[in-house]
Amino acid sequence: MSKGCFITGTDTGVGKTIVTAALATALRKRGLRVGVMKPVETGCSMDSDRLQAQDSSLLRQASGCTATVELVTPYTFAEPLTPALAAERVGITIDIKHIRRCYEKLLTEHDITLVEGAGGLLAPLTECLTMHDMAVELGLPVVIVARNVLGVINHTALTVTVARERSFVLGVVLNHTQPPSDLAMLTNADALRRWGKAPLLCQLAYTTTLTPELLHVYGEQLVSTGLLAEIDAH
Ligand SMILES: Nc1ncnc2c1ncn2[C@@H]1O[C@H](COP(=O)(O)OP(=O)(O)OP(=O)(O)O)[C@@H](O)[C@H]1O
Ligand SMILES: [Mg+2]
């Protein structure tokens, strides 16, 4: 089996964490030891004298991954900024090799490891590196989460085009972060099949409450697309 996949998105706040948690839920249900990683998390709140990484915590919960927070999220920052800037403002340079070492440790303890990026694919990680460099460094194929709004076709095609330069694109997940309220939202799935430049894996419905049961349903939807076999092959 391939080592896992990298979950990126067309933007920040598009549903990467929900997709990663759902996939982790489905893989765990199949008896796999699922590792998770959110290597850099910004906008963390201070609690009990340490920065609390919320995405990281949800991913650990969904996957059952018991690795230390330092391995799952080696970099946490308080300011809600792109990683390179949040780091720079506290005098830190993110070390991609350190992220790789943490990932490799997780690999040794799990059957599959899911890595959630921060922001979109070209979000800066350092002065010269982006999130895409991280996906390439870890050697992972990419899943792209796209938010169902007017403009998603362009955002998706751009992201797929850049991703394909150096990574294998497993496909796109169209996530409904709002209730359908306009014609674009109703036609985006078909439009993405025509112009999205990568397979549309599935759509995740809008929900008012995210329960573990719903994560399970979303996870089964993701797995039923054949994603596991594709991850296996790349
Ligand atoms: N299908 C959905 N239905 C309703 N709300 C959703 C859905 N998907 C995501 N959301 C909401 O949208 C917000 C962003 O989702 P999420 O945190 O998964 O995005 P993200 O891409 O991981 O963001 P970040 O870039 O901060 O990591 C959250 O408040 C989440 O609850
Ligand atoms: Mg997230």
Side-chain angles (χ1 to χ4, degrees):
M1 162 168 280
S2 151
K3 307 300 178 193
C5 68
F6 187 86
I7 294 90
T8 189
T10 50
D11 198 357
T12 186
V14 295
K16 297 184 298 291
T17 303
I18 285 180
V19 167
T20 311
L23 194 52
T25 304
L27 299 179
R28 181 186 187 184
K29 184 111 189 159
R30 282 159 177 75
L32 293 171
R33 295 171 304 157
V34 184
V36 284
M37 208 179 174
K38 167 90 183 184
V40 186
E41 189 162 341
T42 67
C44 300
S45 52
M46 186 64 87
D47 192 16
S48 315
D49 281 345
R50 66 178 297 163
L51 289 171
Q52 303 295 328
Q54 282 187 355
D55 284 6
S56 180
S57 161
L58 180 63
L59 296 183
R60 280 154 52 90
Q61 213 177 314
S63 61
C65 173
T66 56
T68 63
V69 180
E70 287 75 16
L71 270 190
V72 173
T73 305
Y75 292 101
T76 51
F77 300 102
E79 293 184 323
L81 294 171
T82 201
L85 201 52
E88 185 182 281
R89 286 166 58 95
V90 291
I92 289 174
T93 301
I94 294 169
D95 179 358
I96 199 169
K97 298 293 177 203
H98 177 60
I99 291 174
R100 185 177 172 162
R101 282 192 294 274
C102 293
Y103 171 71
E104 282 172 351
K105 180 122 189 19
L106 285 168
L107 276 188
T108 62
E109 294 161 2
H110 300 91
D111 299 311
I112 185 164
T113 299
L114 308 177
V115 181
E116 182 194 337
L121 204 57
L122 293 186
L125 185 65
T126 68
E127 190 66 33
C128 308
L129 299 174
T130 65
M131 275 300 139
H132 195 197
D133 290 297
M134 188 198 290
V136 172
E137 177 76 24
L138 305 183
L140 290 171
V142 168
V143 169
I144 296 166
V145 183
R147 176 173 37 212
N148 188 18
V149 286
L150 183 65
V152 72
I153 303 159
N154 175 56
H155 295 154
T156 304
L158 284 172
T159 305
V160 170
T161 302
V162 169
R164 285 230 173 100
E165 287 174 5
R166 291 185 291 150
S167 301
F168 183 82
V169 175
L170 292 159
V172 174
V173 177
L174 182 62
N175 184 31
H176 297 240
T177 58
Q178 304 155 43
S181 58
D182 63 26
L183 190 56
M185 289 163 107
L186 296 172
T187 54
N188 274 336
D190 282 341
L192 277 180
R193 285 189 194 97
R194 294 173 68 186
W195 296 296
K197 294 188 183 291
L200 178 61
L201 296 171
C202 65
Q203 301 184 59
L204 301 185
Y206 170 75
T207 176
T208 49
T209 324
L210 189 70
T211 59
E213 292 72 29
L214 195 54
L215 271 185
H216 168 73
V217 171
Y218 288 169
E220 290 306 313
Q221 261 187 274
L222 286 160
V223 166
S224 71
T225 64
L227 191 55
L228 257 189
E230 281 290 309
I231 290 175
D232 236 352
H234 290 93

